[in-house]
Amino acid sequence: MYLQSGPRDSQEALWIARCLDGDQLAFELLVRRYEQVLFRVALRLTGEYEDARDATQNTFVKAFEQLHRYDPGRKFFSWIYRIAVNECLNLRRARRPQEPLGDASDGGAGPFEAFARAEARHRIDQAMKGLTFEYREVIALRYFVELSYEEMAEAIGVPEKTVKSRLFSARHKLAGLLGVAGNTNDGE
């Protein structure tokens, strides 16, 4: 999980303190830790590879510029996640979708398996575009970033009960868009 407490938090606190003292290399450690997860979230929220790259890059630039405003009483991921969401919203307002999402993680599968996965990804990507931003957000955090309900609530800034309700509705809406009938509960 990405919002663990303990040694990881104290390590981040040290890196943040070093950044605030002018050590730019310490910020690079934070970038390495969160770049992939923020990119995956941005990709699911924007629906566009280039927009996700831009949103992720802009997120880190703004986080670096505003690091003095970070409240150490909160988890760093929650703080930087909010910046990422705002960047995604800004890009969505400024740009129109132009190409479907891609994923280079076919892992050496045969051509038929790779094609089936690509088709499934394309269907999901298209269906995700039919969801509201709030629904896309909880789907992305739950299934692509694999956060717990508690972690999602903290990252989004809403009560856990709201996350569960929103995720329940989002799954049903997504299932409808995909033409899938039956249980859309993930067992939690």
Side-chain angles (χ1 to χ4, degrees):
M1 290 300 140
Y2 296 96
L3 299 178
Q4 298 174 20
S5 56
R8 184 178 194 139
D9 287 342
S10 61
Q11 187 177 47
E12 285 179 1
L14 177 63
W15 294 343
I16 292 166
R18 285 177 40 202
C19 286
L20 291 171
D21 286 338
D23 182 357
Q24 293 181 0
L25 293 177
F27 192 76
E28 186 177 326
L29 297 171
L30 291 166
V31 171
R32 284 187 203 155
R33 176 167 285 170
Y34 291 111
E35 185 173 31
Q36 288 183 343
V37 68
L38 290 176
F39 175 78
R40 284 195 310 263
V41 168
L43 185 59
R44 295 301 171 182
L45 295 179
T46 64
E48 302 295 332
Y49 183 85
E50 289 301 320
D51 284 352
R53 280 185 37 183
D54 290 346
T56 304
Q57 182 176 357
N58 292 343
T59 295
F60 286 112
V61 168
K62 287 197 173 153
F64 183 78
E65 292 171 347
Q66 299 298 317
L67 194 57
H68 64 280
R69 292 184 174 183
Y70 166 66
D71 175 6
R74 294 185 60 207
K75 293 195 182 291
F76 182 75
F77 179 81
S78 297
W79 180 75
I80 200 167
Y81 171 81
R82 287 304 329 154
I83 295 171
V85 167
N86 289 336
E87 288 302 311
C88 290
L89 288 171
N90 291 341
L91 284 170
R92 282 186 60 208
R93 281 191 281 272
R95 296 187 182 157
R96 294 245 154 230
Q98 296 173 349
E99 60 186 69
L101 296 175
D103 188 350
S105 64
D106 287 334
F112 296 110
E113 293 86 2
F115 178 76
R117 275 197 302 279
E119 283 295 307
R121 273 194 312 271
H122 178 72
R123 285 189 65 222
I124 291 169
D125 293 340
Q126 292 305 311
M128 289 280 288
K129 290 178 182 179
L131 298 176
T132 65
F133 184 81
E134 290 78 15
Y135 287 176
R136 290 171 85 172
E137 181 177 44
V138 293
I139 293 285
L141 288 175
R142 183 71 178 145
Y143 298 105
F144 300 105
V145 182
E146 300 177 356
L147 297 183
S148 70
Y149 292 129
E150 180 182 351
E151 293 167 329
M152 291 169 62
E154 184 173 336
I156 296 172
V158 299
E160 192 173 327
K161 187 168 97 172
T162 302
V163 167
K164 289 178 180 181
S165 172
R166 202 175 281 175
L167 186 58
F168 178 82
S169 298
R171 282 193 298 249
H172 282 281
K173 176 76 173 169
L174 185 60
L177 291 170
L178 290 169
V180 176
N183 187 357
T184 58
N185 190 350
D186 65 355
E188 292 183 342

